[in-house]
Amino acid sequence: MGVALFTVLAVTACTGGVSGTPGAAGTRDPLFPKLGNDGYDVQHYGLDLDYDPASGRLTGAATIVARATKDLSAFDLDFAGMDVRDATVDDEPAAVNRAGDELTLRPGEDLTQGETFTARVRYSGSPKTITDPDGSREGWLKSPDGGVLALGEPAGSMAWFPSNNHPRDKATYDIKVTVPDGLQAVSNGQLQSTAHNGGRTTFSWKTAEPMATYLAMVAIGPYEIDDKGTTKSGIPVYNAIDPGAKAKTAEAVAQLPDILDWEEYNFGPYPFSSTGVIVAPAKSAAYALETQNRPVMPLDQFDTSTLVHELAHQWFGDSVTPATWRDMWLNEGFAQYAEWLWSEDHGGVSAQQRFDTEYAKDEDNEIWAFPPAAPPTAADVSARPVYVRGAMVVHKIREAVGDAAFYPLLQGWLRAHRHANASTTDFTRFVDEAAGHRLSTVWSTWLYGDGKPDSP
């Protein structure tokens, strides 16, 4: 089993004479203030993972290329559990300190603002499962078949690799995963190679477009691979299907190219270089997740509508990523509305009918608990107002500007912030400018207003 390294490579050598200060632990995110770190911007992660299912032990290797955004005497990484063997910065030994989920590295020489630097950390152990504020589980999830799902929304990625674990710091990735022969190891991006050595196989994946840490994933198990197809626009499709789910999901999985064709028509060009889906064993996770390039969907969470939803996230959330966790309605409201539009365009109820059904719910219904743009606590980030009332906001925008302007507006928004981060304020400003007037009632009543609006 190879030893894993966590490396942040320095392209520019450290220089002496700098009087730096430690980077802060946390970004003061309004919902998750301890996630992410201050003082640097990650450019690239290179992860090298070796997993032994028999013992449950992971030996991890990561390479992070980062740029200092201030003079630094030390910097933090988010990392939960597992043992750190040692660390270097710019190939020189670095002091390591652990405090809860914070890993602090102190290089031998201070880093200067603007400098690209490298840190190397070796670690191993049994990755932990993290319980979210809403009670769901993420991190390193063992599947009923002995496999693993490594999922990260909102915090779980730090269970299996050290990182700057906040949506605003996106980076490219190379992920290598070594597992026993007979198992597949599927990740984001495109498969570059497989290599067999001594009864073990290494799968090498590359994600060339920027990705938030919460969208990184690994799926390990006896998956059946379908990698022969492409979408109508030529995007390669790589599906990994649990053998027990193949017959039950074949019809819906076969719709994936048509779904993406429909979404490209509505939302603009697909933003990544590959696509697909991972259909995991039932109960391997309690939710589907929009992991970049190929969503993860356990069998008991799988249907066509959910596939439409998770694929829509490739535009809304994965390409255009929220600036803070409070902006999650920009992900979930639009993905929910994509479900409504799919139904409207494919012989189901219309988006207006969906809106009317939701509006008819009593004022004490959970969808009116808080405004979609203002979830009050971390436990509310995936609550129904973010999804359903978020979709209602999108419908009110469509109603306000008309269909002729609505779809160009969506495509313009996605084009303007492609592979970047955006906030709710960025969005409302963009819509107002595109519409030629301020949508005051939509924002004050539907996006930020408390309780059920008096009129639909």
Side-chain angles (χ1 to χ4, degrees), residues 170 319-321 412-422 426 430:
K170 300 169 73 169
S319 177
V320 182
T321 303
W413 165 251
L414 294 165
R415 186 168 54 250
H417 296 277
R418 183 181 175 93
H419 299 321
N421 295 85
D426 294 328
F430 180 91

Side-chain angles (χ1 to χ4, degrees), residues 227-239:
D227 59 353
K228 306 303 181 185
T230 63
T231 67
K232 292 181 180 179
S233 59
I235 303 297
V237 178
Y238 188 105
N239 297 324

Side-chain angles (χ1 to χ4, degrees), residues 29-194:
D29 183 275
L31 298 182
F32 293 89
K34 294 182 179 180
L35 289 183
N37 303 283
D38 170 61
Y40 63 95
D41 176 31
V42 176
Q43 310 296 306
H44 180 76
Y45 290 95
L47 310 178
D48 192 347
L49 311 175
D50 193 315
Y51 182 61
D52 177 24
S55 65
R57 185 176 179 83
L58 176 71
T59 304
T63 301
I64 303 174
V65 178
R67 181 179 59 84
T69 57
K70 61 173 64 173
D71 293 342
L72 288 173
S73 61
F75 58 93
D76 283 40
L77 297 162
D78 300 298
F79 193 37
M82 293 199 285
D83 298 319
V84 173
R85 178 174 170 179
D86 55 33
T88 62
V89 174
D90 296 333
D91 296 324
E92 296 294 332
V96 178
N97 183 63
R98 297 295 297 269
D101 295 338
E102 291 293 326
L103 174 66
T104 303
L105 302 187
R106 184 176 293 276
E109 295 185 6
D110 288 2
L111 303 168
T112 58
Q113 182 178 0
E115 176 183 351
T116 301
F117 67 91
T118 300
R120 179 171 298 175
V121 177
R122 301 194 292 179
Y123 62 95
S124 62
S126 297
K128 66 189 295 185
T129 298
I130 295 173
T131 301
D132 292 336
D134 64 1
S136 61
R137 297 166 67 249
E138 55 169 330
W140 196 261
L141 306 177
K142 294 184 178 180
S143 304
D145 63 354
V148 164
L149 288 180
L151 302 176
E153 185 177 340
S157 293
M158 66 183 180
W160 53 285
F161 69 98
S163 65
N164 192 18
N165 197 21
H166 191 272
R168 76 178 187 185
D169 195 358
K170 300 169 73 169
T172 58
Y173 284 71
D174 286 289
I175 300 178
K176 293 183 179 180
V177 188
T178 300
V179 294
D181 287 348
L183 296 179
Q184 300 286 334
V186 186
S187 190
N188 311 90
Q190 292 180 276
L191 182 63
Q192 301 297 294
S193 65
T194 58

Side-chain angles (χ1 to χ4, degrees), residues 15-30:
T15 58
V18 178
S19 180
T21 58
T27 60
R28 299 182 181 178
D29 183 275

Side-chain angles (χ1 to χ4, degrees), residues 231 237 239 252-261 275-277 307 311:
T231 67
V237 178
N239 297 324
V253 169
Q255 294 183 73
L256 187 149
D258 289 335
I259 293 171
L260 280 180
D261 183 56
T275 189
V277 66
L307 185 57
L311 290 174

